[in-house]
Amino acid sequence: TVFATTLAGALARETGAACFSSAEEAATGADVALLAVKPFAIADTVRLVRSVLPESCLVLSVAAGVRVQAIEAALSRPLPVV
């Protein structure tokens, strides 16, 4: 939404944090990818970003009840997953 985009931009300016408009944009070239989405959204989120994650990227998940094996399967390539 426009409000969320405006709020995110203001927060980024205030804190110096980066602000992205998509998960793919945020994950491009990441050293670490933190998956902080609802458990039901993990597989779809991983499929969105897997092609832009470098081979050396560490994938971290804080989604309750999601097994490492499920994330590895969604990645479709070997990346370290915690």
Side-chain angles (χ1 to χ4, degrees):
T1 65
V2 172
F3 174 74
T5 303
T6 303
L7 184 59
L11 182 61
R13 283 188 298 279
E14 182 179 319
T15 64
C19 181
F20 301 99
S21 59
S22 71
E24 298 95 322
E25 184 183 359
T28 298
D31 293 323
V32 177
L34 175 63
L35 302 175
V37 297
K38 300 272 186 188
F40 72 85
I42 283 285
D44 288 340
T45 302
V46 170
R47 285 186 202 103
L48 280 174
V49 301
R50 67 184 173 195
S51 66
V52 298
L53 297 175
E55 295 298 321
S56 60
C57 183
L58 172 63
V59 180
L60 299 175
S61 172
V62 295
V66 177
R67 295 184 169 273
V68 167
Q69 294 85 353
I71 297 169
E72 290 172 334
L75 282 168
S76 301
R77 62 190 178 110
L79 289 175
V81 179
V82 178

